[in-house]
Amino acid sequence: MERVIKIALLDLNNGFENQGMRCIREITHAYFQKHQLPYVVEEFDVRQKNEVPNASFDIYLSSGGPGSPFDEEGWEWEHKYFKLVNKLYLQNQEAAPENKKFIFFICHSFQIACRIFRVGNVCERKSTSFGVFPMTKVEGGLDEPVFNALDNPFYGVDSRDFQVIEPNRDVLEDMGAQILAIEKERPHIPLERAIMGIRFSSEMIGTQFHPEADAVSMRKHLLEEDKKKQIIALHGEEKYNEMIDRLEDPDKIMHTQATILPTFLDIATANFK
């Protein structure tokens, strides 16, 4: 009898309206239906209802969310979340291949994961980053299977007030973790380029950007008057119009959406096929 793959979707949006969870749901269901794999999905409202799954799931997809990654430091949900991630990380080190637990951390979850593993300085940005921007693969990302089909640079949806900088090289080396990508080059700004992706282990990976984002939801955001004004103020009207055009380009965020999470799921389900 074929084993049913158990997937946990961790919603860190704290009750705020968002398109990210819709995109994650759609990608997940489309993947498992396409590959005709038996699966069950359960959602957890992590921050609003203190719902954190146990360690019995095979795959965990942990979403982005609003606010500071320090706002709820020490709260019940955060304690449970830290405990889960640490437990899965340690279990994976001794588990048989068919019992490995795979996790993908997105944006807010990525910042939390960087706090858990202490791989860098999680801090506030000088200004909000919001839009469609190029991401640069660095050495670790050049051979990363999840990024293999992407160009260098590739494009992703960025939406954040916080960042991870100043990587702790000793911790990364001890874990066998690798930085995969950094943010766009800004020659006129004398600030360190933030880390945009890390492979924490063979089973755990995360991105600061939103690999689940689709053109429909991003267009909706970009056309909101406050977002439009914010982007034009920060980057100029030409850059704003360029972002709108990028949404229709199949080689940009559409390609990123069709590549990263599906490839992660390919790896996570390899022992079930």
Side-chain angles (χ1 to χ4, degrees), residues 228-246:
K228 180 177 179 179
K229 287 178 180 175
Q230 181 185 61
I231 293 167
I232 290 174
L234 287 170
H235 305 289
E237 192 162 1
E238 184 180 346
K239 279 290 182 186
Y240 172 80
N241 292 329
E242 188 179 83
M243 285 182 194
I244 296 290
D245 291 340
R246 284 172 180 170

Side-chain angles (χ1 to χ4, degrees), residues 18-130:
N18 73 96
Q19 295 291 318
M21 285 300 294
R22 174 187 62 80
C23 293
I24 292 169
R25 286 185 205 105
E26 289 179 359
I27 291 168
T28 301
H29 290 296
Y31 180 89
F32 283 93
Q33 288 164 11
K34 175 185 175 182
H35 293 278
Q36 298 185 322
L37 292 167
Y39 73 105
V40 61
V41 175
E42 190 171 342
E43 290 194 25
F44 298 84
D45 191 340
V46 177
R47 294 170 68 186
Q48 187 173 230
K49 297 181 181 177
N50 292 325
E51 296 175 352
V52 175
N54 59 29
S56 69
F57 290 83
D58 302 296
I59 299 169
Y60 300 77
L61 298 174
S62 192
S63 81
S68 162
F70 296 99
D71 276 350
E72 294 150 24
E73 194 170 2
W75 287 25
E76 182 183 352
W77 77 261
E78 191 190 77
H79 174 72
K80 290 179 177 178
Y81 190 93
F82 274 48
K83 186 176 180 181
L84 172 70
V85 173
N86 280 314
K87 181 175 184 177
L88 297 180
Y89 179 78
L90 292 172
Q91 278 185 193
N92 279 338
Q93 294 180 9
E94 297 182 359
E98 64 273 15
N99 294 325
K100 300 280 191 181
K101 310 292 186 174
F102 291 81
I103 306 183
F104 200 108
F105 304 98
I106 297 171
C107 196
H108 195 94
S109 295
F110 174 76
Q111 294 163 359
I112 298 291
C114 288
R115 285 183 51 216
I116 292 171
F117 293 119
R118 300 180 181 180
V119 294
N121 177 18
V122 182
C123 60
E124 193 166 6
R125 285 176 54 85
K126 298 231 177 252
S127 61
T128 299
S129 180
F130 182 82

Side-chain angles (χ1 to χ4, degrees), residues 89-187:
Y89 179 78
L90 292 172
Q91 278 185 193
N92 279 338
Q93 294 180 9
E94 297 182 359
E98 64 273 15
N99 294 325
K100 300 280 191 181
K101 310 292 186 174
F102 291 81
I103 306 183
F104 200 108
F105 304 98
I106 297 171
C107 196
H108 195 94
S109 295
F110 174 76
Q111 294 163 359
I112 298 291
C114 288
R115 285 183 51 216
I116 292 171
F117 293 119
R118 300 180 181 180
V119 294
N121 177 18
V122 182
C123 60
E124 193 166 6
R125 285 176 54 85
K126 298 231 177 252
S127 61
T128 299
S129 180
F130 182 82
V132 180
F133 297 115
M135 314 286 169
T136 301
K137 288 194 265 188
V138 292
E139 188 174 353
L142 299 178
D143 296 319
E144 168 54 52
V146 170
F147 285 9
N148 269 354
L150 299 174
D151 293 333
N152 195 18
F154 63 93
Y155 285 81
V157 168
D158 196 14
S159 176
R160 61 198 165 91
D161 293 307
F162 286 78
Q163 62 183 354
V164 184
I165 56 173
E166 300 168 1
N168 188 327
R169 302 289 179 184
D170 290 339
V171 171
L172 289 164
E173 187 175 342
D174 286 347
M175 290 177 67
Q178 288 192 306
I179 296 172
L180 306 177
I182 57 176
E183 69 183 334
K184 63 187 181 298
E185 187 174 10
R186 301 171 296 171

